[in-house]
């Protein structure tokens, strides 16, 4: 089958039917308005009813289908933008931000907003469905845990091929940053890499927390040949925020932090995409709410879901709505490197 051909996915109906007969719990209300696992896909279904295309891009370690939704022009797009979230299991605010971004884009496309002429928007709201389900079950059972990785205990955002294992953090803190058996060893990262190979002009990966916008490289202080363009996109994003985040090349964020095998470097270095990462919100730990002090879910996810999402949706859409300058300056290497 040609991997580049979108198709209508009959499996999505069966998947939704399964979720409807065995609904998972929603996170308890005291955490804020976060979606249950099923709710993520009901929101995709609602986009599909308005003309979006949904397709399965692979299966997770635990066998869950991974879904991408595609909006707008797909015949000969002049600009292709990708949004994805949830590489890290407990970062639910990123999933909410991704879904809201896709829904806002769909509204504008339906209203024939000229900024979307020839723009194709693709979204993967959860790149770690097993992790999302684990967290929902933890919270429903009243047992919040620190959950970052996939079902095999691999940090998906250290498992991409570009810069794989080039930093020392996985050696120092393998419990947190386990990069896996080899580059793209995990079904989730392999599925994303196949999607990335369709060549997006721009991409945004949602994480939490900290209120940052990052761009490549994550493995060094050396700027990318496209540094000016990446910085211009980050600035365009900031200019659309009521409470602007700070923005910096990830490799320059801290003297000591480097991230090998991260999604932004992989998208940029291997697939020539102008890729950015957003650390949504400042988390939800609050001095006045003792229940949040030792609760990892609360550290990563703010209580005010709607307000935080509203602060990032227009910023995210800057990637779809800012005029394209030209192709990237970076010549992606031939496949097989
Ligand atoms: Zn993260």
């Amino acid at each position: 089958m040609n991997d580049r051909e979108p198709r209508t996915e009959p499996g999505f109906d069966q998947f939704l039917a399964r979720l409807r007969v065995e609904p998972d719990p929603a996170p308890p209300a005291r955490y804020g308005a976060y979606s249950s696992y099923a709710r993520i896909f009901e929101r995709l279904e609602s986009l599909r009813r308005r003309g979006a295309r949904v397709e399965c891009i692979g299966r997770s370690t635990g066998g869950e289908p991974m879904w991408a939704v595609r909006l707008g022009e797909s015949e000969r797009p002049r600009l292709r933008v990708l949004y994805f979230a949830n590489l890290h299991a407990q970062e639910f605010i990123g999933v909410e931000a991704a879904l809201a971004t896709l829904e806002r884009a769909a509204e504008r496309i339906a209203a024939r907003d000229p900024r979307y002429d020839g723009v194709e928007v693709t979204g993967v709201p959860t790149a770690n469905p097993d992790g999302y389900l684990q967290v929902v079950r933890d919270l429903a059972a009243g047992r919040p845990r620190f959950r970052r990785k996939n079902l095999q205990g691999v940090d998906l955002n250290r498992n991409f091929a570009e810069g794989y294992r080039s930093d020392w953090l996985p050696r120092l803190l393998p419990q947190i940053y386990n990069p896996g058996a080899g580059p793209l060893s995990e079904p989730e990262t392999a599925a994303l890499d196949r999607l990335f190979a369709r060549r997006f002009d721009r991409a945004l990966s949602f994480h939490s927390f900290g209120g940052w916008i990052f761009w490549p490289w994550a493995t060094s202080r050396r700027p990318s040949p496209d540094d000016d363009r990446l910085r211009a996109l980050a600035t365009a994003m900031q200019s659309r925020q009521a409470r602007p985040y700070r923005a910096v090349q990830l490799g320059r964020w801290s003297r000591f932090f480097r991230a090998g095998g991260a999604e932004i470097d992989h998208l940029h270095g291997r697939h020539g995409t102008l890729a950015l990462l957003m650390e949504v919100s400042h988390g939800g730990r609050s001095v006045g709410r003792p229940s949040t002090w030792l609760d990892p879910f609360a550290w990563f996810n703010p209580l005010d879901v709607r307000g935080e999402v509203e602060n990032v949706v227009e910023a995210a859409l800057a990637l779809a709505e800012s005029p394209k300058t030209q192709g990237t300056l970076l010549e992606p290497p031939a496949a097989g490197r």
Side-chain angles (χ1 to χ4, degrees), residues 15 18-19 22-28 35-41 60-67 86 88-92 95 125-141 143 145 147 149-151 188 297:
F15 173 73
R18 187 196 96 197
L19 296 184
E22 13 172 296
D24 62 303
S35 295
S36 65
Y37 183 65
R39 178 79 189 131
I40 296 173
F41 304 102
S60 69
T61 307
E64 285 295 296
M66 293 173 63
W67 299 103
N86 201 211
H88 292 143
Q90 65 206 345
E91 300 173 8
F92 279 30
V95 176
T126 169
N128 184 359
D130 302 330
Y132 196 99
L133 272 168
Q134 277 184 315
V135 172
V136 163
R137 288 171 187 150
D138 290 344
L139 298 183
R143 286 195 305 268
R145 293 183 52 181
R147 288 215 192 257
K149 297 180 280 194
N150 75 349
L151 215 53
E188 295 89 353
F297 186 86

Side-chain angles (χ1 to χ4, degrees), residues 13-168:
D13 291 322
Q14 288 148 20
F15 173 73
L16 268 185
R18 187 196 96 197
L19 296 184
R20 285 169 181 165
V21 294
E22 13 172 296
D24 62 303
R30 67 185 169 87
Y31 287 108
Y34 288 97
S35 295
S36 65
Y37 183 65
R39 178 79 189 131
I40 296 173
F41 304 102
E42 293 292 353
R43 289 171 75 175
L44 291 194
E45 169 63 4
S46 144
L47 290 172
R48 188 169 73 146
R49 280 197 303 267
R50 286 176 280 150
R53 298 165 301 284
V54 175
E55 66 174 309
C56 182
I57 59 165
R59 285 195 177 262
S60 69
T61 307
E64 285 295 296
M66 293 173 63
W67 299 103
V69 62
R70 204 180 304 198
L71 317 166
E73 172 67 42
S74 65
E75 287 298 308
R76 299 176 63 118
R78 63 172 174 84
L79 181 71
R80 309 179 83 195
V81 184
L82 172 67
Y83 298 102
F84 60 110
N86 201 211
L87 282 171
H88 292 143
Q90 65 206 345
E91 300 173 8
F92 279 30
I93 189 67
V95 176
E96 299 297 327
L99 287 166
T101 299
L102 295 166
E103 287 161 353
R104 188 81 49 94
E107 281 167 25
R108 291 189 181 157
I109 290 165
R112 306 209 175 276
D113 184 324
R115 290 173 296 185
Y116 286 84
D117 287 349
V119 176
E120 184 193 74
V121 174
T122 302
V124 180
T126 169
N128 184 359
D130 302 330
Y132 196 99
L133 272 168
Q134 277 184 315
V135 172
V136 163
R137 288 171 187 150
D138 290 344
L139 298 183
R143 286 195 305 268
R145 293 183 52 181
F146 185 90
R147 288 215 192 257
R148 177 177 170 93
K149 297 180 280 194
N150 75 349
L151 215 53
Q152 295 184 112
V154 173
D155 182 341
L156 296 175
N157 213 25
R158 297 296 181 279
N159 186 246
F160 289 97
E162 185 74 21
Y164 180 75
R165 269 192 186 274
S166 66
D167 61 317
W168 49 267

